[in-house]
Structures are given as structure tokens and as C-alpha cells.
Amino acid sequence: MTKSSTKALALVCAALLALSVAGCGDKAAAPERPPLVKTQLANADAGVVDGVYAGTVKGRYETNMAFQVGGQILARNVQAGSRVRAGDTLMVIDARDVVQKANQGDAAVGQARAQLELAQKNLSRYTELYNASAVSAAVLDQYQANYDAAFASYQNALAQAAQGYNAVGYTNLTAGADGVVSAVQAEEGQVVAAGQTVLTLVQTGELEIEINVPENRLADVPVGREVTVSFWALGGSTRGVVREVAPMADSAARTYRVRVSVPEPPAGMELGMTASVALAQTADNANADAALLPLAAIYQTGDTPEVWLVRDDDTVQLQAVTVEAFDANRVVVHGLQPTDRVVTAGVHKLREGQSVRTEADD
């Protein structure tokens, strides 16, 4: 190839490269998609609430069960989670020592009976002698006192024998009501003392919700207040009533334990389930134009709080609102129409008139 041919080839390549670069520059840039935002209607939470608390389903009555006599456990017929009915035998302890004590009671009764019979005969004999003026009244009084003491000893022996027979029946630990065993604290072969807790029985006849309320919101949960209870596992909600408020706060968490009864428990409500308790506003402080929004929906650069609204043409505009109350996650505001679509996330990245996409558009 000649020198002139090589030079011509280089010029052709340079021209093609220039055309390629020019074509790339003329290509139109891809249009940027509007940002996706999360929205909710201003009336999505028409029933404005004062607070929502997480709770747990528990039994109203939880009994720490124990034997009334001590001994070695021979049988444990239940475990944690076992369902029992009233009268079922839960545990059995060795009854041999208790039976021996009952036998000692029988022996004591026999001895006391013999002493009583002897005292009665002596009293009869000396009564005859006293009537015959053979002994003085002081001697008769002494034998009368001996008889009274023997009679009291006999009554005491009978009571102790009955106590011994009752103790034999205490060697079987039985359920006093239908329920679920929530905890077991003793095993077979273990020696337990009288009154030592061996298991916990939760009665299933009446279930309720337990929540913990901070001390600054304690006035919101007076006894008798109606609340709304929902269950994560069941869906839906039902009515609840505050039944009990602890008189003292927990020493560590500084919260008050509140028990909420459920007059009409939903099907499938079980011990240990997660529940949510919402405190609905009372008729005295409810407001028709109030809206409950996430705290992240508030956009504030000055003294006036605002929210972003999505218009019908999918552009956003700022709307001033008035804040009534707020907590760590939610805020109650006024100044919105029920049909307003409020942006609830990413509000600080928007600008007036900007086009956006909503979840409904996607």
C-alpha cells in the first residue's frame, strides 16, 4: 500500500468517527419519570384516635398452683401449653409420709378415747361416793376436771386425725377450672415444700388484653373507657373496655399495666396473641374535620406546618394545616377536605407543581 493510500484511509476513518460522535450527540435524552410518592386520603382514619398500644392476649385469672403438703413428685401429667379441664390431676406427690401421719392421728384418737373412758368411770364412781357422803366436794371437783381435760384431748385428737386424712387428699394437685398450663416449675423426682409454686394455670373462661401505658397518657385510659381492639393474626376489630389500671407504675419501664376486657371475643382468639388497642376519641373532643396523618407527612420550613396534596393532574401543591396533637408517629391536623390526597413520605424532596406518580398509577 502506497503512502498516499494510507493517508486517504486515515482520513476516511476520522470522518466516520466524527459522524458517529455527532449522531450520539443528536440522540434525544430519555425523559425522566416523575417520582413515586405514597399517599393517603385525609379521611382514611375517620375515627381519629388518641393513641394505639400494642398488647398481648392474657387470661384474666392466672393461678400459681402449689401442693398443700410437701413431698417428692411422683408424676407430672401436664406440660407447658397443655389444656386441662376442672378436676384433672396435674401432679402427684409421694403420699407415704402423709398416710403415716394420718395413721398417727388414728392412734392418738384411740389413746384419747381410752383416757376419756377412764376419766368418765372415775367421775361416776366418785359421784356415787360423794352422794354417800364418803368423799368431800373437793375430791369430786378434781375428778370432774380430769374428765373435762380428757374430753378436750379427745376432741383435739379427732381434729388432728381429720387434718391428717385431708392431707392425704392434698397429694393430688387438681385443676380448679378449665385452662391452659402456661409454665411448669417442678419435675418428677423433685422434692417440694408445701406452698411452693409448681405450675401456673391460666383460666381460659375469660380472656383480655394487657397493654402498657406511659405515665403521661394515663388519664386517657380511665376504667370503663371503650376502645377498639384488633388482632394481627385474625384481622378485623372488636370492642373492648378498660377493666383495670395498675395503681403503680413498673419500676423499670415506668409504664402502667392496663387490662382491657373483650366482651365479644372473635373466633380464634388465643392466649399470647398480639393485639392492638386503639383509644378512640370521645364525643366531647371529636372533630369532624380532623385528620390523622403520619408525622412524616408534615412539611415545615417556617412557622406554619404544611402538607403536600396531589391534585387531579398528578401535580403537587402545598396546603397549610393546623396541628391539634401529635405523638411519636402520628399527628392530628385540621384544614383538609376528606377527599384530599396527602403525600405521607418523601415530602422534603418535592417542589411546587412537580408531577408525581402514586401507588394507584402504578
Side-chain angles (χ1 to χ4, degrees), residues 176-239:
D178 297 350
V180 175
V181 178
S182 62
V184 177
Q185 290 93 0
E187 299 294 337
E188 293 184 14
Q190 181 177 343
V191 177
V192 295
Q196 178 182 341
T197 299
V198 294
L199 60 84
T200 302
L201 180 66
V202 180
Q203 297 184 23
T204 54
E206 187 172 352
L207 300 179
E208 57 188 18
I209 314 299
E210 180 178 301
I211 61 175
N212 294 292
V213 178
E215 56 188 24
N216 64 329
R217 302 303 300 270
L218 190 61
D220 296 340
V221 287
V223 174
R225 175 170 183 175
E226 289 196 1
V227 298
T228 301
V229 181
S230 57
F231 300 89
W232 179 79
L234 303 179
S237 61
T238 186
R239 183 177 67 91

Side-chain angles (χ1 to χ4, degrees), residues 8-360:
L9 181 60
L11 290 173
V12 172
C13 290
L16 292 174
L17 180 61
L19 290 173
S20 177
V21 172
C24 292
D26 294 339
K27 187 177 180 180
E32 182 181 355
R33 297 187 68 191
L36 178 65
V37 295
K38 184 178 181 180
T39 64
Q40 76 169 53
L41 290 176
N43 68 342
D45 289 288
V48 178
V49 297
D50 288 337
V52 179
Y53 300 92
T56 305
V57 179
K58 294 192 174 183
R60 179 171 180 176
Y61 303 102
E62 298 184 7
T63 307
N64 293 326
M65 304 196 66
F67 288 100
Q68 293 182 249
V69 294
Q72 184 181 39
I73 298 177
L74 297 181
R76 176 170 68 85
N77 302 327
V78 294
Q79 58 186 357
S82 297
R83 292 186 173 273
V84 299
R85 303 187 69 84
D88 288 350
T89 301
L90 309 179
M91 287 188 181
V92 178
I93 62 173
D94 190 351
R96 288 179 295 180
D97 292 342
V98 181
V99 171
Q100 290 302 323
K101 289 183 179 180
N103 292 337
Q104 289 178 357
D106 288 341
V109 169
Q111 182 180 4
R113 184 185 297 110
Q115 294 295 331
L116 178 62
E117 291 175 353
L118 177 60
Q120 185 177 13
K121 291 179 180 179
N122 288 336
L123 178 60
S124 299
R125 185 180 303 114
Y126 276 87
T127 299
E128 293 177 358
L129 292 175
Y130 174 75
N131 293 334
S133 300
V135 295
S136 64
V139 174
L140 180 63
D141 292 341
Q142 179 181 356
Y143 282 95
Q144 180 66 50
N146 291 341
Y147 172 80
D148 293 339
F151 182 78
S153 297
Y154 177 67
Q155 294 295 326
N156 182 56
L158 287 176
Q160 291 184 350
Q163 185 177 11
Y165 280 109
N166 291 338
V168 174
Y170 298 152
T171 57
N172 290 344
L173 185 65
T174 58
D178 297 350
V180 175
V181 178
S182 62
V184 177
Q185 290 93 0
E187 299 294 337
E188 293 184 14
Q190 181 177 343
V191 177
V192 295
Q196 178 182 341
T197 299
V198 294
L199 60 84
T200 302
L201 180 66
V202 180
Q203 297 184 23
T204 54
E206 187 172 352
L207 300 179
E208 57 188 18
I209 314 299
E210 180 178 301
I211 61 175
N212 294 292
V213 178
E215 56 188 24
N216 64 329
R217 302 303 300 270
L218 190 61
D220 296 340
V221 287
V223 174
R225 175 170 183 175
E226 289 196 1
V227 298
T228 301
V229 181
S230 57
F231 300 89
W232 179 79
L234 303 179
S237 61
T238 186
R239 183 177 67 91
V241 179
V242 176
R243 182 188 64 82
E244 177 185 271
V245 179
M248 295 182 62
D250 181 82
S251 58
R254 306 310 304 169
T255 57
Y256 287 79
R257 179 179 57 83
V258 176
R259 289 289 186 117
V260 177
S261 63
V262 184
E264 300 176 358
M269 177 179 171
E270 299 290 346
L271 287 169
M273 279 187 171
T274 301
S276 180
V277 177
L279 308 180
Q281 280 191 341
T282 61
D284 294 336
N285 62 5
N287 197 319
D289 69 344
L292 180 66
L293 302 175
L295 193 59
I298 299 299
Y299 177 81
Q300 185 169 355
T301 56
D303 296 333
T304 303
E306 299 172 305
V307 296
W308 287 103
L309 301 183
V310 179
R311 294 181 288 202
D312 294 339
D313 59 355
D314 287 338
T315 59
V316 293
Q317 69 174 16
L318 280 173
Q319 173 67 42
V321 294
T322 302
V323 175
E324 175 186 335
F326 64 92
D327 57 21
N329 299 311
R330 287 177 307 276
V331 59
V332 178
V333 301
H334 299 273
L336 297 176
Q337 297 298 320
T339 56
D340 286 341
R341 284 191 298 167
V342 183
V343 178
T344 59
V347 296
H348 293 284
K349 298 181 180 180
L350 301 177
R351 63 181 184 273
E352 186 73 27
Q354 182 180 4
S355 296
V356 295
R357 291 179 298 123
T358 64
E359 295 168 328

